[in-house]
DNA sequence: GGCGTAAGTTGGATTTTCCAACCCACTGAT
DNA sequence: ATCAGTGGGTTGGAAAATCCAACTTACGCC
């Protein structure tokens, strides 16, 4: 039996290794340089090198040279990388609710002025998308 | 410099290891037994044993005995586990859009009848929560 | 010249992971 | 009663990934 084919597995194949998402979190927060990413995540430099290369190869990040002499780079998000924002939001939300103890280390405020409480809704009808309100529409026909 | 304290890191401490989220995906899909989870994810049995124990210890899953002789168990989601649904949805959405090639292996239909296209919105105002519409509201005061 | 910073590389020890094989308790068919 | 099959693991050894500290290169500043 081959394992189930699934976009969650595919996604994790790209960003599912340790440090990948934390490195991306830093880029989202505006920290784009190797040393700072290493310090803020706690990843060792060699592993971080490999992760960043993989994320660049996968088209999630781009490496921009912002100085030629000496050569200096920064990592910036591609469209694909920016699209991971929702994943990070939900992961943060779950961590806030069920893992983090004590005061929350980071709180987002939405442009409407409220502290952000994210909800996942169906783009069509605007109603919340819970696991109960979803049914499988297609199976692989193989 | 200590690494940044953050709910994303805390969340990944619980579900960030390989196979954890895929095992949870199976439980969401109604596959609750060890052998089937192993087969559908591709995880080796020893690693899966450790992952499931950790998820139970973290309060994400519960192990229910459904037969005494022979002892047989199934894994069921707790509230905390059910709350991971949003994370999985967004991960699937990103995988669909940026990683999976060819036809999508799985499509969800919302109760409104439409194929689900999930959006993350602010619970307060209902507007979409993009990275541009968010600002940091609090920093650790330490 | 010496110090500091950025962005890695390298080497070796330690952990994890993988995989196949094994085990035990039971069930159901012959 | 034996015999294959299933569920849920455990064990052992090989392979891969990770961690950490030290080293490197290439500059800019004083």
């Amino acid at each position: 039996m081959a394992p189930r084919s699934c976009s969650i597995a595919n996604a994790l194949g790209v960003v599912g290794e340790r440090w990948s998402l934390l490195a991306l979190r830093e880029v989202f927060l505006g920290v784009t340089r190797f040393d700072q990413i290493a310090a803020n995540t706690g990843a060792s430099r060699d592993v971080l090198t490999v992760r960043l290369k993989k994320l660049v190869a996968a088209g999630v990040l781009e490496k921009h040279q912002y100085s030629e002499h000496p050569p200096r780079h920064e990592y910036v998000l591609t469209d694909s990388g920016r699209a991971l924002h929702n994943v990070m939001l939900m992961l943060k939300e779950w961590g806030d609710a069920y893992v983090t103890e004590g005061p929350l280390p980071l709180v987002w405020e939405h442009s409407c002025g409220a502290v952000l409480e994210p909800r996942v809704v169906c783009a069509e009808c605007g109603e919340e998308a819970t696991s109960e309100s979803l049914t499988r529409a297609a199976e692989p026909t193989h």
Side-chain angles (χ1 to χ4, degrees), chain A:
Chain A
M1 276 295 140
R4 189 192 295 274
S5 156
C6 155
S7 285
I8 296 181
N10 297 342
L12 291 175
V14 176
V15 297
E17 287 158 309
R18 196 129 101 98
W19 307 121
S20 293
L21 279 174
L22 291 183
L24 285 166
R25 172 197 71 188
E26 290 303 312
V27 181
F28 270 109
L29 293 174
V31 174
T32 60
R33 273 125 93 158
F34 188 88
D35 272 31
Q36 276 305 301
I37 295 174
N40 289 352
T41 57
S44 56
R45 309 169 68 78
D46 54 352
V47 174
L48 187 59
T49 301
V50 175
R51 290 293 169 274
L52 289 172
K53 274 196 181 129
K54 179 166 181 181
L55 291 173
V56 169
V60 177
L61 289 177
E62 278 173 2
K63 197 174 178 177
H64 281 190
Q65 190 153 7
Y66 66 88
S67 152
E68 196 154 357
H69 286 287
R72 289 286 176 274
H73 311 94
E74 62 181 347
Y75 292 92
V76 302
L77 296 164
T78 62
D79 284 348
S80 164
R82 275 185 291 277
L84 277 168
H85 188 247
N86 285 340
V87 174
M88 316 271 282
L89 261 190
M90 299 322 301
L91 214 41
K92 169 184 175 305
E93 186 63 13
W94 185 78
D96 282 349
Y98 293 99
V99 187
T100 301
E101 315 208 326
L104 302 181
L106 178 59
V107 175
W108 290 108
E109 186 172 299
H110 189 239
S111 52
C112 72
V115 165
L116 179 68
E117 195 184 323
R119 283 224 197 309
V120 176
V121 301
C122 168
E124 190 71 20
C125 68
E127 293 297 306
E128 193 155 2
T130 63
S131 65
E132 296 81 35
S133 67
L134 298 177
T135 49
R136 250 176 277 189
E139 283 297 315
T141 50
H142 66 85

